[in-house]
Amino acid sequence: MAFRPTIGLEIHAELRTKTKMFCNSKNDPDETRPNVNVCPICLAHPGTLPVVNREAVRHILRIGTAIGGSIADYTEFDRKSYFYPDIPKGYQISQYEHPLVSGGTLAGVAVTRVHLEEDTARSSHEGGKSVVDFNRAGVPLMELVTEPVIHDAETAGKFARELQLLLRTLGAGNANLEKGEMRIEANISVSRDDRFGTKVEVKNLNSFRSVERAIAFEVARQSACIDAGGTVVQETRGWDETKQETFAQRLKEGSADYRYFPEPDIPKFILSEIPEFSHETLEASLPELPWERRSRYAAAYGLKEADVAYVAAAGDRAAFFDAVAGALGENPDLVRLAANYLITDLGGIYAKQESERWDALDAEAFAKLIRMTAAGDLSSRGAKDTLAILVEQGGDPESIATEHGLIQVNDPEALGKVVETVIAQEPSAVAEYRTGKEAALQYLLGKAMKESRGAGNPQQFRELLAEKLKR
Ligand code: ADP
Ligand code: MG
């Protein structure tokens, strides 16, 4: 019998706040000079006291509200003790028994908890030296833990992508994986029955793809290990991006090793006593959430699931699409046509440029191009060419198409003249067609398109040719 994988995720994300979690130092993920956003508190000087950042708490509570989790009434912070140069206090302030949020669901996966803690400093090891940058020390950090209810790599990847989109939608964080603003750990086990197998934790997953690949790798490794009569060791493993495999790092600490205890320097909170953290206030503060947006697109425009997912996958992309839909009077047929061009053509152009610049394109102009296409003033070829110029230079699609001879000619008289010219120039193809060679018509159509410099309506050309060459 095959092994059944079980996966639970632990995801950390830096929160977007003006200042750090427990002090007034600036929280600036883009600061490149080391050790400038620091103060005695985040440098852990003795005698300093932490003060909780209200904005950070609010981010976590809004995330919890969005996923339908329950907001703690009583909450407290705890000290998680461990020694490492990037944690100068000798402990990290985190939450243990009383997280801000418990439960909830995201992308169909049950969430255990969402809590708040502080990020560590960043240490690096270069040329035989180890250096520590404290800019990141004390930056507010979300930790979200899922239940072990995921059974395939794809669902794990989907969950992580949806969380990134949610954090961005809520303005809670940039959640950029490459920059370490969002960090994913996957706990993976396999078993042949209902009981859980021994789990392995995999760290340094720097992309969604590596999350999926590391899971696939671990499932195969653990299954092979058990098949060979071995036992899986509970440990922490790293992901080697070059080799595309996991490697043993260290044996897993038990939570007892951390000596968690309530942080005595921070007061306990009764959240229900804080009006801005009431369920109603938090709920009312939420923007349209990713899954709400997707159902709106599907219901209002009849867009396919994959198309909805693409359009709604980024805030600026969705904002552009909304503006286009508005400019098209929310007409579902036009909006669907717009979605096609947005996904295939615009998406293609941006993919080639490796940067999406939705805010640089005028939604009204794009909508006009869609209307011209729907009206037959632009062929699909003409629309693509006009769009490419529009993206590069901006301007009015009608002027662009006129200037570049891309307006489609639909006038039967003008098209008829072109067809007659072609018939006169191509007697042998005409003869072939008349003796039953269908392919000759395609050839003549090509000639007509060329003669009209690509501007003739191909459908009408085809009809006119067939008509004039009637056998
Ligand atoms: P620990 O005490 O070792 O940190 P937890 O019970 O807190 O373990 O779970 C940590 C993470 O591991 C959670 O995301 C959880 O879903 C996941 N997890 C727990 N048991 C398993 C298992 N047998 N297989 C895969 N993931 C698991
Ligand atoms: Mg745990």
Side-chain angles (χ1 to χ4, degrees), residues 6-10 145-148 187-189 196-197 199 252:
T6 295
I7 301 136
L9 299 174
E10 291 173 285
V145 182
T146 78
E147 291 289 300
N187 297 273
I188 305 153
S189 67
F196 280 150
K199 73 172 157 42
K252 169 93 186 141

Side-chain angles (χ1 to χ4, degrees), residues 49-86:
L49 291 171
V51 176
V52 172
N53 184 328
R54 179 184 289 260
E55 224 186 333
V57 174
R58 186 163 176 270
H59 279 319
I60 300 290
L61 298 182
R62 288 175 85 230
I63 293 162
T65 305
I67 64 173
S70 65
I71 304 300
D73 186 21
Y74 173 88
T75 194
E76 65 182 21
F77 287 86
D78 297 273
R79 290 188 180 181
K80 178 182 182 179
S81 301
Y82 65 99
F83 173 80
Y84 203 70
D86 67 10

Side-chain angles (χ1 to χ4, degrees), residues 367-426:
K368 185 169 176 184
L369 180 142
I370 296 303
R371 266 198 238 96
M372 289 172 69
T373 309
D377 294 334
L378 284 174
S379 65
S380 60
R381 179 74 257 155
K384 282 178 208 298
D385 294 345
T386 306
L387 186 58
I389 298 166
L390 188 66
V391 169
E392 205 155 287
Q393 305 172 359
D396 170 49
E398 194 176 347
S399 321
I400 294 172
T402 308
E403 191 187 322
H404 291 82
L406 296 168
I407 297 283
Q408 178 160 266
V409 177
N410 298 310
D411 171 22
E413 208 171 308
L415 296 177
K417 278 192 190 133
V418 173
V419 167
E420 266 155 31
T421 311
V422 169
I423 289 174
Q425 284 171 350
E426 301 287 342

